[in-house]
Amino acid sequence: MVLKQLELFRYKQFKHACFTFQPGFNVIWGPNESGKTTLREALLLAFFGNPTTTSDSVRSATTWGQTEPCEVRLEYLDDAGVLCQLRKDFAGNKIFLLRGEEQFRTYKTIQSQVLETLGLPSEDLFRLCASLDVRSLANLGSRESRKQTGQMLAGLMTGASSGQDALTAIKRLEDALRLLGKGERAPAKDPGPLKAAREQLLRWQARQAEMAGKQRDRQDRETRWASATLELNALRERTDNLNRLLAANEKLSQADRRRQELILRDAEYEKADQRRRQWQEELERLDRKIEAESAARCPAAGIEELKNLLARKAAAPSGVEPALPADRSAWILLASGAILALAGSWLIWQGGAWAGWLLVLAGLGTTAAGWAKKRNQHAQTRRRQTQTEEAQTERAAQESRIKALCEPAGALPPEALLQSWERLLALRAEREALARSLAAMGRTDPEPWQAVRRELRLVEDVLADPELNPLRLAPAELAARQREREAAVERLKTLETETERWRVLQEQDARLEEGLAEAEEQAEEIRRRIAYLERRERVLKTTLELLDQARRDTLHPARQVLEKQAGELWSQLSEGRYKNIAIDDEDLSSKIFIPETSKWEGPEVLSQGAFDQFFLSLRLALTDALSGGRKPPLFLDEPLSAFDPERERAALDYLRSLSASRQILFFSCRPEYAEAAEHVVQLPSPDGKKGKETRQ
């Protein structure tokens, strides 16, 4: 979830206020009583408030001096990146959620959507994990929230609720062992019987050893003290030399890595420049080929006209109509008519008038039909001659136009001209695609390339430094020097502790030996008591180990992950001083490993700063463990007030790195935190000056 904007109406001192937030590290700062806590509670009210009720939390959100309840509007992005708009009107008892195009209007449905986005199933768990302030940093919530958290952790560990019976039995055994060994790991006002007996034995043994060996060991202690002092001084000098050597190698290693990066970037710039030159040369080659094509001198309209003319020419007839077949039917009719007329005339002359006249009439009709047919043949012949002349004229015009259209290409044949035009179109398309690619690449900016080469020369100067280069070590030798330094540092700490203890012992006055026999008798009696208690402790431990091992065989390592994550974070915040954390999965009780005493203690033995660091680490780890990777936004209200400058800087560095994957709202009255922020919201001061928002 990423919060975008919170708008308040009639909320405490804010009659109408609008606050915007950005992803990453947001700092909300202002003087005391400017409304930082009010703003954080307003965000919680937007998440969990129910406008259909009249609870105290709703009544307390009313603007000071007013009776009308408030209205809250929140915009945020869910895990899918969808913009959500949540509105809660406590005056009108209305609630509304717009998620993309979806709308929700019931409190139960909307609350399930909000809790699913947060990844935490209740307000108590959100306050426990993701809403932290310095006053309640060590408060792990109400009994119900701790119980719910323990159940969630147990569920993550066992994968089912059947492990609760085993946990109950283990808890009882642990209570018995804790009562028996009370005070063994952490100081207790009323230590258990085993601790009390051992303390008595230690006191008598110390008294006996003091009386018996004090004089005998003094001289040996002095000799060892002197030897340890010499070794301590030599180790300090050696450690300083190793630190300088390793620092020089670290600088050289960083320069090597940077040189490789710069070489790769330089190669990328050079490759891009070479590709651009190749494409420009290819454009020039295409331009020459386009210019060499004959069709380039012809307009596109002329080419289209030429295509149409050739198509019409191919579809048109040859222009010479075939001759009509010889038709002698007209002459036959004329001859037949003449013969019939002569025959009729002859019959009339012979006296057959009636038959003669019929033959004469038939001859005249046949002759008339012959003359009509003859005229029709002459008409068809003249029409065919006219069509042939027109076709020849049109064909000649087409040939002339085709020749004119081919003239710009050097009188190239039409078919060759069309082939040249097709090649020209292909070349132009290829050139246009290449030109688009070249335009998309953009112009070469030489300044970044030159900057890379300048930095590369500087890095190479560092690598060639005559003071640093002789100090370069091979990887195996470098690892050996690092191990040597770690061993020297550990040995240095041990010697410093021993020499300090010996110095204190040397300053103490010698005491006279007294009551040695009584001390031995008392010590023996206490040993028998301890032996009995230790046998009982072994029986309980064996039973606990067997039962716990049976349970562990079915567990998932959720608690181990939680302990590891909290331990790593605390190690970072404490600059490596503390690393190991043990967390109970039922009530969240925890213990820490104290390196100085090599014992597990409760967090109450820490200083206030380390105490706050421990619980900040624990609650941030709980956020990841219980939210299922949802990464809800973190509300941090002055959590670093008890940190010293070094650990405060380490904590800020961690929060900055954490803000890369989740949103953090850091509330503070100290403006210097704004320097570490990506987005700053300045709240109005109590005197009425308005706040402002800045981006860094």
Side-chain angles (χ1 to χ4, degrees):
M1 172 184 285
V2 176
L3 304 182
K4 302 290 288 183
Q5 179 175 291
L6 175 68
E7 192 171 5
L8 303 176
F9 300 89
R10 306 178 301 279
Y11 186 81
K12 293 190 177 180
Q13 68 264 44
F14 299 114
K15 293 183 180 179
H16 179 209
C18 183
F19 303 92
T20 60
F21 310 100
Q22 299 292 337
F25 193 69
N26 296 258
V27 170
I28 297 92
W29 76 274
N32 292 331
E33 300 182 354
S34 61
K36 297 186 295 298
T37 303
T38 301
L39 178 57
R40 185 162 63 93
E41 292 299 325
L43 288 167
L44 295 174
L45 185 66
F47 283 162
F48 306 104
N50 186 357
T52 61
T53 67
T54 56
S55 62
D56 293 338
S57 63
V58 175
R59 288 195 296 270
S60 64
T62 304
T63 303
W64 295 343
Q66 302 292 329
T67 58
E68 186 178 6
C70 66
E71 180 178 350
V72 181
R73 298 177 182 177
L74 179 65
E75 289 186 5
Y76 64 91
L77 297 176
D78 63 9
D79 294 339
V82 179
L83 179 64
C84 301
Q85 298 178 356
L86 176 62
R87 177 184 175 186
K88 292 187 176 182
D89 185 1
F90 294 89
N93 297 334
K94 297 179 180 178
I95 184 170
F96 175 78
L97 174 63
L98 178 64
R99 181 182 182 274
E101 300 295 331
E102 299 179 280
Q103 297 183 10
F104 308 91
R105 297 184 180 276
T106 62
Y107 174 76
K108 184 177 180 181
T109 304
I110 292 175
Q111 199 63 21
S112 65
Q113 291 280 335
V114 173
L115 293 177
E116 181 180 359
T117 304
L118 290 174
L120 298 170
S122 68
E123 180 179 359
D124 287 343
L125 283 177
F126 185 87
R127 289 180 178 271
L128 168 65
C129 299
S131 180
L132 315 180
D133 62 85
V134 69
R135 292 175 297 178
S136 61
L137 197 60
N139 180 14
L140 296 180
S142 63
R143 182 178 180 183
E144 288 298 320
S145 68
R146 290 200 306 272
K147 182 178 179 181
Q148 184 180 11
T149 304
Q151 291 174 351
M152 291 180 68
L153 286 176
L156 288 172
M157 292 170 63
T158 61
S161 60
S162 59
Q164 297 303 312
D165 294 335
L167 289 175
T168 303
I170 290 173
K171 181 66 173 160
R172 290 176 181 174
L173 288 171
E174 288 176 344
D175 290 341
L177 280 170
R178 192 178 299 112
L179 181 61
L180 182 61
K182 186 178 181 182
E184 286 285 324
R185 294 187 176 181
K189 182 178 180 180
D190 298 321
L194 189 56
K195 177 65 174 178
R198 286 176 176 168
E199 288 179 349
Q200 289 178 354
L201 179 61
L202 289 175
R203 286 195 295 270
W204 285 107
Q205 286 177 340
R207 184 176 179 183
Q208 180 182 2
E210 181 184 7
M211 291 183 297
K214 195 169 187 179
Q215 295 296 332
R216 182 178 63 251
D217 296 337
R218 180 175 296 176
Q219 186 176 2
D220 180 61
R221 185 165 57 248
E222 290 176 352
T223 303
R224 293 170 62 190
W225 184 18
S227 176
T229 302
L230 293 175
E231 185 182 358
L232 182 62
N233 294 332
L235 272 175
R236 285 174 177 166
E237 183 178 358
R238 179 59 178 163
T239 303
D240 292 340
N241 293 333
L242 287 173
N243 286 335
R244 287 193 293 271
L245 180 62
L246 293 177
N249 276 270
E250 178 62 24
K251 186 175 181 180
L252 289 171
S253 178
Q254 292 177 355
D256 286 333
R257 291 193 295 270
R258 186 57 180 166
R259 179 175 178 272
Q260 294 300 322
E261 294 175 0
L262 293 173
I263 288 174
L264 291 176
R265 290 179 60 186
D266 180 63
E268 290 176 358
Y269 280 120
E270 186 172 0
K271 184 178 180 181
D273 186 66
Q274 183 179 4
R275 186 187 304 115
R276 186 177 291 103
R277 291 198 301 270
Q278 291 176 351
W279 287 358
Q280 288 174 347
E281 293 174 358
E282 182 66 16
L283 275 180
E284 294 174 359
R285 185 186 65 82
L286 289 174
D287 289 338
R288 289 194 298 270
K289 293 183 69 174
I290 289 173
E291 186 177 356
E293 285 293 337
S294 301
R297 295 185 292 275
C298 297
I303 297 298
E304 291 298 325
E305 183 180 357
L306 178 62
K307 290 181 180 180
N308 293 332
L309 288 174
L310 291 176
R312 287 164 54 190
K313 180 180 177 181
S318 62
V320 178
E321 292 291 336
L324 292 173
D327 189 359
R328 292 182 176 82
S329 58
W331 293 106
I332 294 173
L333 290 175
L334 288 174
S336 300
I339 293 172
L340 289 175
L342 291 174
S345 298
W346 184 77
L347 287 176
I348 293 173
W349 182 68
Q350 292 292 331
W354 181 77
W357 284 112
L358 287 177
L359 289 175
V360 170
L361 290 175
L364 291 175
T366 303
T367 301
W371 282 114
K373 191 170 185 65
K374 188 67 175 176
R375 285 195 300 273
N376 187 28
Q377 289 178 351
H378 283 296
Q380 288 182 358
T381 300
R382 287 194 299 272
R383 185 168 59 253
R384 286 179 177 273
Q385 290 176 350
T386 302
Q387 290 176 352
T388 300
E389 291 173 355
E390 291 177 352
Q392 290 175 348
T393 302
E394 182 179 359
R395 189 175 185 85
Q398 288 177 352
E399 292 291 345
S400 176
R401 182 57 181 165
I402 289 172
K403 183 177 181 181
L405 291 174
C406 294
E407 188 67 27
L412 195 71
E415 292 77 9
L417 180 59
L418 291 179
Q419 292 176 0
S420 176
W421 178 256
E422 294 298 327
R423 290 195 300 272
L424 179 63
L425 292 179
L427 289 172
R428 286 178 177 175
E430 183 180 357
R431 186 193 184 283
E432 184 179 356
L434 188 59
R436 284 198 300 269
S437 300
L438 190 59
M441 180 180 289
R443 298 182 60 187
T444 302
D445 187 0
E447 182 57 31
W449 193 1
Q450 294 174 2
V452 167
R453 292 194 167 180
R454 287 195 298 269
E455 185 179 357
L456 182 58
R457 288 193 295 271
L458 293 176
V459 171
E460 289 176 345
D461 290 342
V462 172
L463 293 174
D465 190 343
E467 296 182 358
L468 284 177
N469 203 41
L471 300 178
R472 184 186 291 272
L473 299 175
E477 189 176 359
L478 180 62
R481 291 294 180 270
Q482 289 175 341
R483 291 192 297 270
E484 182 181 355
R485 183 182 63 175
E486 293 173 359
V489 170
E490 293 297 326
R491 180 60 180 165
L492 195 61
K493 292 179 180 179
T494 303
L495 286 176
E496 288 175 348
T497 303
E498 291 181 357
T499 53
E500 179 64 22
R501 179 171 59 84
W502 290 338
R503 186 187 63 80
V504 173
L505 290 175
Q506 286 297 109
E507 293 176 355
Q508 293 178 354
D509 295 332
R511 298 179 181 178
L512 299 176
E513 298 181 4
E514 60 181 8
L516 183 58
E518 180 184 0
E520 291 178 352
E521 183 179 350
Q522 292 291 338
E524 185 62 28
E525 179 66 26
I526 294 172
R527 287 191 187 95
R528 289 194 292 270
R529 172 66 177 166
I530 290 175
Y532 166 74
L533 293 174
E534 287 178 343
R535 286 195 300 272
R536 183 181 177 189
E537 185 182 37
R538 284 196 296 273
V539 172
L540 292 175
K541 282 185 177 180
T542 301
T543 306
L544 176 61
E545 289 174 358
L546 291 174
L547 184 57
D548 188 55
Q549 185 61 41
R551 183 179 67 94
R552 287 176 183 274
D553 290 340
T554 59
L555 295 185
H556 297 306
R559 182 180 62 187
Q560 297 175 5
V561 173
L562 178 61
E563 292 173 347
K564 179 180 179 182
Q565 186 172 355
E568 290 176 353
L569 176 54
W570 193 29
S571 174
Q572 181 177 348
L573 296 182
S574 64
E575 298 181 323
R577 183 175 183 182
Y578 302 103
K579 299 180 180 178
N580 298 323
I581 299 175
I583 302 172
D584 187 272
D585 53 81
E586 275 194 335
D587 59 359
L588 301 184
S589 62
S590 54
K591 291 185 181 298
I592 57 176
F593 184 78
I594 308 298
E596 291 81 356
T597 61
S598 298
K599 292 183 178 180
W600 290 90
E601 305 284 355
E604 59 272 7
V605 302
L606 300 170
S607 65
Q608 184 61 46
F611 185 84
D612 289 350
Q613 294 162 10
F614 167 74
F615 278 100
L616 177 62
S617 306
L618 176 59
R619 293 176 73 169
L620 290 178
L622 276 173
T623 304
D624 289 338
L626 300 182
S627 64
R630 293 281 184 164
K631 298 187 182 302
L634 297 180
F635 301 162
L636 307 179
D637 191 354
E638 296 286 8
L640 312 181
S641 60
F643 289 23
D644 58 29
E646 289 76 14
R647 296 189 180 181
E648 182 184 55
R649 186 162 50 253
L652 279 176
D653 291 342
Y654 173 77
L655 292 177
R656 283 296 304 273
S657 65
L658 186 64
S659 66
S661 60
R662 66 172 56 191
Q663 189 180 44
I664 297 178
L665 272 59
F666 190 98
F667 299 83
S668 176
C669 62
R670 296 167 58 185
E672 57 267 24
Y673 287 132
E675 298 177 0
E678 296 168 329
H679 182 72
V680 179
V681 178
Q682 181 179 348
L683 296 177
S685 59
D687 57 4
K689 294 181 179 179
K690 294 184 178 180
K692 61 183 180 179
E693 296 184 13
T694 61
R695 182 186 298 274
Q696 297 181 353

